[in-house]
Amino acid sequence: MSILEELESRLAAALQQVLGEEVDGRVLPAADLRFGDYQSNAAMALAKQQRRNPRQLAEEVVAALDLGDLGRAEIAGPGFINFHVAPAAFAAAVSGLLGDPRLGLPDRGDGRTIVIDFSAPNIAKPMHVGHIRSTFIGDALARIARAVGYRVVTDNHIGDWGTQFGMILHGWKTLVDEAALEADPIPELLRVYREVNARAKEDPAILAACKAELVKLQAGDAENTRIWQRCVELSKQGLEKIYGRLDVRFDHWLGESFYNDRLAGLVGEFLAAGLARESEGAVCIFSDGSLPDDRDPFRIHREDGWSDNPAIIRKADGGFLYATTDLATIEYRIDEWSADEIWYVVGAPQQLHFRQIFQAAERWGKRAEFHHVAFGSILGEDRKLMKTRSGDNVQLTDVLEEAVERAGRVIAEKNPELPADEAAEVAETVGIGAVKFAELSQHRMTDYVFSWDRMLALQGDTAPYLQYSHVRIRSIFRKLDADFDPSGVELVIGEAAEVHLARLLVRYGEVVPQVLDDHRPNLLANYLLELARAFHSFFEACPVLKAEEPARSSRLALCEASARVLDHGLGLLGIRCPERM
Ligand code: ARG
C-alpha cells in the first residue's frame, strides 16, 4: 500500500470511530510543504454535512487517529488535517519502490477496456501540427492507462473517405507524377490535391469533373476504387514511417471507409426507432427535449432565440456524413471490443460534434463512458496559429526534421567527443523527445507557443533537461568498481534534501493514475521536472560516492530510484532516455 493509501485507510478508521459510520476521507499531497506532506479536508466536508464545528470535529478525528510509525497529524486553519510523514516511513517506501517493477503504480484496471481514438489524420493530406497534439496526448494516455492496468485498444480512425477524393481522383488521372509518388507518396498526393483544389476554384468544369469522379467512386466504379485503395495504401505507408519514428503504435487502423457498408442500415435503424426523422429530404437527429436548451447539443441560440440544431446522418442526395460514421464506429467498438470507455483525443473545435454523437449513441442504447479529450492550438512565435511562410499548415515531418537537426547542434556543443553514429541517434531521441515534452508539459486546453529554443534548452522545463538528468545519474554508477544492487539496502534518510527526494519518489505511484482523472499528461510531465530538480538539490547537498556507509549505499539507492522513475515516467510520455549525451 502506498503512503497515501495508508493514510487514507487510517483516516477512514478514525472517522468511523468518531462518527460511528463508514466514511471515506480523501487525502491529497500538500500544496505547501511547510504544512506537511499530505493533507485532508475530510473533517471540514463532513462537519458541513453534519452541521458541526469543523475544527472541533477535526480535533476529535486527530485524537482518534493512529498513525503509528507513519508520522503525525495536526490541525490547521478551520479544520484541515495535515500529515507529516516520518523520514523512516519515506525510507521504507523507497526501499519498497526499488523492489517493485511497477515502481509503486497501482493496478486500477478492474478488467475495464478503454478505446482510445487519436491521431486520425486525413488521407492525402499530410499530418500537420494540429495532429501533433492528438498523437502525443493520445499515445501518452494509452501508455499510462495500460501501465495502471486497463485493457487499452488504440485505433487510428483515419479520414480515408470523403469529398477530398473527388479532387484526388481527378488529379491522379491528370497530374500525378508516378516517380514522385513511389519515392515519397504523401507530399506528392498533397501537391496533386492542392493543385486540383486551386484549379477547381477557377474553373467550374474542373469542379464538376471532380464531383463526377466522387460519384463514380461512391457507386463502386472499379477503376476509381482501385486508385482510391492505392492512395490509401501509399498514405498509410508514409504515416507508418512517421509513427515508427515517433514510437507510436496502433492496435487498429479502422478508418472511416471501414464503416461504409453499415451506414445505410444504421440510418434505417434510427428512422425505425424514431431516433431520427426526415427534414427537407435529409435524415436528422433532433433534440429529445430531455435537457434544458443551454445544455442540449441539438439546440442552438441565435439572435431570435433557441432553435433546432440537428445532426444530419443522411444528406438529401443520399450521402452519409461524419456523424453517421462516428455512430457506426461507436457501435463497433462496443460490440467488438467490449469498450467500457471511449476517449476521443480531438481538437476543441469538434466539441459540438462529439456532444451530439455521444447523446445520440446513448439514446440508441449504446452504453459506454464517452470522453472528448479536447485540446487547444499550437501558436507560432508571433502568437498566431502556426503556419509556414507561404501560409500552409506546418507539416509534422518538417517539425521532426528541424527538431532533430537542432538537437544535434545542442549535443555537438555539449559533448563533441560522442562518435558520429551515436550522436545522430542521440539527436533523434533528444529532438523528438523535446517536441513531445513541449506538448505534454502544457495543460491540453492552453494554446501554447512553439519555441525551438525553449523546448531544447538543457536547463529548462524540457525533455533534454530530464534526459540529461538521467544521464548524469547513470554516470554516477559508471564510476563504481562493481555493479550496485539496491535490493536489501537499508535507506537512512536524514538530510532535508534526502527527505524531499524520497517524498517525491514515493509520489510517483500517486501522480500517474491521477493523470487519467482529467486526461492530463502534464501532471506527470511537471512531476518529473520537480523530481529532477529535487534530485539535483540532493546531489548538491549530499555527497554520494564520498559518503561513509551506510549513507553511501543509501544515497546510491536514492540515485537508482531517481533514475528508474525518470526513465519510466518519460517512457509513459513516449520519450526515451539516451545512455549518454
Ligand atoms: N479525421 C479527423 C480530423 O482530422 C479526426 C477524427 C477523430 N476521430 C473520430 N472518431 N471522429 O479532424
Side-chain angles (χ1 to χ4, degrees):
M1 214 191 290
S2 72
I3 288 187
L4 184 125
E5 285 165 333
E6 186 81 47
L7 288 172
E8 278 185 337
S9 97
R10 296 195 189 202
L11 177 64
L15 287 168
Q16 172 151 31
Q17 200 181 320
V18 171
L19 300 167
E21 55 181 315
E22 232 177 273
V23 278
D24 284 340
R26 272 206 78 180
V27 174
L28 295 170
D32 185 337
L33 291 175
R34 281 173 302 171
F35 305 126
D37 299 296
Y38 291 90
Q39 63 183 36
S40 175
N41 64 3
M44 281 153 66
L46 291 165
K48 197 164 178 195
Q49 269 175 30
Q50 311 210 337
R51 297 169 189 282
R52 291 190 48 182
N53 177 317
R55 184 137 184 134
Q56 210 178 355
L57 182 63
E59 264 159 29
E60 282 176 46
V61 172
V62 168
L65 198 58
D66 174 15
L67 291 182
D69 295 338
L70 205 53
R72 62 190 171 79
E74 64 188 22
I75 300 162
F80 284 108
I81 301 176
N82 290 337
F83 298 93
H84 298 263
V85 174
F90 278 136
V94 175
S95 294
L97 190 99
L98 282 163
D100 174 10
R102 300 175 60 85
L103 296 173
L105 297 191
D107 190 337
R108 291 274 166 90
D110 217 12
R112 281 173 79 79
T113 298
I114 303 175
V115 174
I116 310 184
D117 178 321
F118 68 98
S119 198
N122 300 315
I123 290 298
K125 302 182 185 172
M127 278 206 266
H128 53 72
V129 286
H131 291 109
I132 287 184
R133 301 201 80 166
S134 174
T135 306
F136 295 167
I137 297 171
D139 179 54
L141 291 175
R143 289 169 190 265
I144 292 166
R146 277 196 183 111
V148 298
Y150 291 97
R151 175 177 167 251
V152 172
V153 179
T154 53
D155 185 14
N156 196 4
H157 188 71
I158 50 174
D160 59 357
W161 193 255
T163 48
Q164 81 261 35
F165 282 99
M167 299 208 178
I168 295 161
L169 283 162
H170 178 76
W172 186 286
K173 291 178 182 178
T174 54
L175 297 169
V176 97
D177 174 346
E178 279 288 338
L181 201 60
E182 280 304 320
D184 199 358
I186 294 187
E188 175 59 9
L189 286 172
L190 176 70
R191 182 190 70 83
V192 167
Y193 174 76
R194 283 199 179 133
E195 178 100 36
V196 176
N197 201 9
R199 290 190 192 181
K201 271 193 194 127
E202 309 269 283
D203 185 348
I206 290 188
L207 187 63
C210 294
K211 280 195 179 149
E213 295 291 2
L214 183 66
V215 171
K216 273 169 72 184
L217 174 69
Q218 286 168 338
D221 172 80
E223 189 196 3
N224 280 12
T225 304
R226 192 183 49 74
I227 297 176
W228 165 74
Q229 267 167 350
R230 179 117 193 272
C231 185
V232 172
E233 246 350 282
L234 285 170
S235 301
K236 274 192 190 171
Q237 283 166 19
L239 290 171
E240 288 282 17
K241 252 191 239 158
I242 300 175
Y243 292 130
R245 216 172 157 189
L246 292 173
D247 198 13
V248 169
R249 261 175 290 273
F250 295 94
D251 299 313
H252 301 277
W253 287 64
L254 301 187
E256 295 181 9
S257 71
F258 176 78
Y259 299 95
N260 279 353
D261 56 6
R262 295 162 204 262
L263 303 181
L266 184 149
V267 172
E269 215 181 295
F270 267 73
L271 281 169
L275 295 167
R277 61 183 154 84
E278 267 192 53
S279 169
E280 296 165 36
V283 177
C284 304
I285 304 172
F286 286 91
S287 167
D288 66 354
S290 65
L291 288 174
D293 282 331
D294 59 352
R295 285 182 24 225
D296 187 336
F298 298 99
R299 300 282 287 164
I300 191 166
H301 193 81
R302 294 215 177 85
E303 279 144 41
D304 48 354
W306 289 97
S307 57
D308 282 324
N309 184 34
I312 308 178
I313 54 174
R314 194 176 71 203
K315 288 189 282 186
D317 69 7
F320 303 108
L321 297 101
Y322 192 43
T324 331
T325 337
D326 255 334
L327 286 168
T329 307
I330 288 176
E331 176 176 51
Y332 186 88
R333 289 171 175 170
I334 294 175
D335 292 352
E336 296 298 316
W337 298 335
S338 318
D340 296 297
E341 301 185 22
I342 309 179
W343 301 352
Y344 296 82
V345 188
V346 184
Q350 293 193 32
Q351 196 203 30
L352 179 65
H353 165 75
F354 285 112
R355 286 174 60 219
Q356 289 191 329
I357 64 155
F358 294 168
Q359 216 209 79
E362 240 155 70
R363 280 198 241 158
W364 190 23
K366 305 295 168 198
R367 289 208 198 294
E369 214 180 291
F370 300 111
H371 292 279
H372 175 202
V373 181
F375 50 83
S377 317
I378 303 183
L379 308 178
E381 307 229 29
D382 57 358
R383 305 201 146 263
K384 297 203 180 99
L385 282 187
M386 191 160 138
K387 296 272 178 198
T388 62
R389 241 175 253 133
S390 57
D392 293 324
N393 281 320
V394 177
Q395 293 188 33
L396 180 51
T397 30
D398 296 340
V399 171
L400 298 182
E401 283 308 325
E402 184 157 355
V404 171
E405 191 192 302
R406 285 174 181 257
R409 273 182 256 150
V410 173
I411 289 154
E413 204 170 295
K414 183 91 205 155
N415 189 352
E417 279 104 75
L418 223 49
D421 51 343
E422 188 178 346
E425 214 171 286
V426 174
E428 179 85 11
T429 310
V430 171
I432 289 176
V435 180
K436 287 192 181 186
F437 195 84
E439 164 63 54
L440 296 170
S441 55
Q442 300 293 323
H443 186 291
R444 58 184 163 80
M445 289 310 291
T446 26
D447 294 343
Y448 74 92
V449 174
F450 193 92
S451 157
W452 289 116
D453 291 338
R454 223 180 310 138
M455 73 175 73
L456 283 161
L458 280 172
Q459 292 300 330
D461 293 348
T462 64
Y465 168 65
L466 294 173
Q467 290 167 320
Y468 188 61
S469 304
H470 180 261
V471 166
R472 276 192 61 191
I473 305 174
R474 284 277 164 245
S475 73
I476 300 168
F477 291 96
R478 275 194 219 109
K479 294 191 191 121
L480 295 177
D481 304 327
D483 272 355
F484 173 73
D485 177 8
S487 58
V489 171
E490 188 140 341
L491 276 86
V492 276
I493 286 180
E495 298 291 329
E498 289 176 305
V499 174
H500 188 51
L501 180 56
R503 172 193 286 131
L504 284 174
L505 287 167
V506 166
R507 205 167 279 177
Y508 185 57
E510 302 161 9
V511 170
V512 173
Q514 227 186 319
V515 167
L516 301 183
D517 292 347
D518 192 29
H519 310 99
R520 287 177 51 187
N522 65 314
L523 294 179
L524 172 58
N526 290 309
Y527 159 83
L528 293 173
L529 291 169
E530 213 181 327
L531 177 67
R533 286 192 284 262
F535 176 81
H536 291 296
S537 314
F538 151 79
F539 200 61
E540 243 161 65
C542 308
V544 176
L545 294 174
K546 293 207 175 89
E548 300 288 330
E549 291 296 357
R552 186 174 185 268
S553 292
S554 171
R555 286 175 185 169
L556 279 169
L558 280 175
C559 293
E560 175 69 26
S562 304
R564 283 194 203 171
V565 170
L566 276 177
D567 185 40
H568 195 269
L570 282 170
L572 291 183
L573 298 177
I575 298 169
R576 295 188 188 180
C577 284
E579 271 306 302
R580 301 195 289 177
M581 63 189 268

